[in-house]
Amino acid sequence: MDFTFIASTMVTLLKAVPTTLILFSLSIVSGGLLALVIVWMRTSGNPVLSGFAKGYIFVFRGSPLLIQMFLVFYGLGQFGVIRYSFLWPFLREPMVCAVLSLALCTAGYTAEIFRGGIRAVSPKEIEAARSIGMSGFLLVRRILAPIAFRHALPAYSTEIVLMMKSTALASLVTVWEVTGVAQRLISQTYRTMEVFLCAAIIYLVLNFIILQGMALLEYSLSRHRRAIPQALKA
């Protein structure tokens, strides 16, 4: 092990971390918003909307993310309606294609996670809220959404970690994030072990921070459950 080379490699890879974080953040936010729309369609009771949501979830959960990314990056330009539209200056950018494919994929998984959280809400809690006059958006904001999110949080934290690791695939469409820079260094130095070891350490640290943040969020959302035993002791 050449520790001098490892140190210089780590510095080089750390410069690509902001690109990875931008790719990850945009994908999670846009995918989460799209997932909410898919969940609404899935639970709307409208057979057309529900059928579309089921099809969307099946396609993006059932096909590999790598193929989805290649189809977005290489395939969209083959359609004239897209190539000659106002969207093409954006869709021809590798970063936009990577974010779009990651967001579309995570939306399928996240929608099912959120739907599971909604189904875990007790009907008695909804009935109690309606008995005091809550309905519509107020019921969703005060009762349904907070409880469903608490139930979905453990599975959703796993999806977020998987998305951080999935950003490595963006290197295959020429987005120079951590893995892309690592591959470029390997092609220049032929030192696979040291370079990928540094990249693995960076991903481990990033995922550790994410998991700690999600654990703190879950802890803060479950205060009422910790307060019950303390009240019984008093």
Side-chain angles (χ1 to χ4, degrees):
M1 285 287 182
D2 185 346
F3 291 101
T4 302
F5 175 76
I6 290 176
S8 63
T9 298
M10 185 64 75
V11 171
T12 302
L13 294 181
L14 285 174
K15 294 179 181 178
V17 169
T19 302
T20 297
L21 292 178
I22 291 172
L23 181 62
F24 167 76
S25 301
L26 292 176
S27 302
I28 288 295
V29 172
S30 53
L33 294 175
L34 179 58
L36 294 176
V37 177
I38 298 298
V39 169
W40 172 76
M41 296 172 68
R42 182 77 168 80
T43 59
S44 65
N46 185 305
V48 176
L49 296 178
S50 180
F52 175 83
K54 288 179 182 179
Y56 179 95
I57 292 170
F58 173 76
V59 169
F60 284 96
R61 291 177 68 194
S63 57
L65 174 57
L66 180 59
I67 293 178
Q68 297 171 20
M69 192 171 291
F70 281 162
L71 286 174
V72 171
F73 185 69
Y74 295 108
L76 290 181
Q78 297 182 11
F79 297 97
V81 66
I82 294 177
R83 191 174 183 86
Y84 299 106
S85 70
F86 69 95
L87 295 173
W88 182 241
F90 302 99
L91 293 177
R92 68 183 179 186
E93 295 295 327
M95 174 65 83
V96 175
C97 290
V99 169
L100 180 60
S101 55
L102 288 170
L104 291 173
C105 182
T106 192
Y109 288 93
T110 303
E112 280 297 277
I113 292 171
F114 287 170
R115 188 174 73 90
I118 292 172
R119 294 187 65 182
V121 178
S122 172
K124 294 181 181 180
E125 296 181 86
I126 297 176
E127 290 176 6
R130 285 175 175 169
S131 68
I132 61 174
M134 286 190 187
S135 62
F137 180 73
L138 183 62
L139 175 62
V140 173
R141 185 172 65 88
R142 290 286 186 88
I143 305 297
L144 189 60
I147 298 175
F149 185 70
R150 279 199 300 269
H151 286 296
L153 193 56
Y156 186 49
S157 63
T158 301
E159 173 61 17
I160 289 178
V161 170
L162 290 175
M163 284 305 299
M164 171 56 77
K165 294 188 291 186
S166 296
T167 58
L169 294 176
S171 62
L172 299 177
V173 292
T174 67
V175 176
W176 299 113
E177 40 72 63
V178 172
T179 302
V181 174
Q183 290 175 339
R184 188 164 57 182
L185 283 174
I186 291 171
S187 67
Q188 295 171 352
T189 63
Y190 301 99
R191 303 179 76 163
T192 305
M193 181 66 181
E194 294 96 329
V195 175
F196 275 150
L197 179 62
C198 292
I201 291 172
I202 291 174
Y203 282 111
L204 283 171
V205 171
L206 291 176
N207 284 325
F208 175 78
I209 294 172
I210 290 172
L211 287 174
Q212 291 301 113
M214 298 301 290
L216 288 174
L217 179 59
E218 187 173 359
Y219 181 82
S220 65
L221 292 176
S222 59
R223 293 177 181 174
H224 62 289
R225 295 184 178 180
R226 298 192 303 274
I228 293 175
Q230 294 174 1
L232 291 175
K233 290 179 181 178

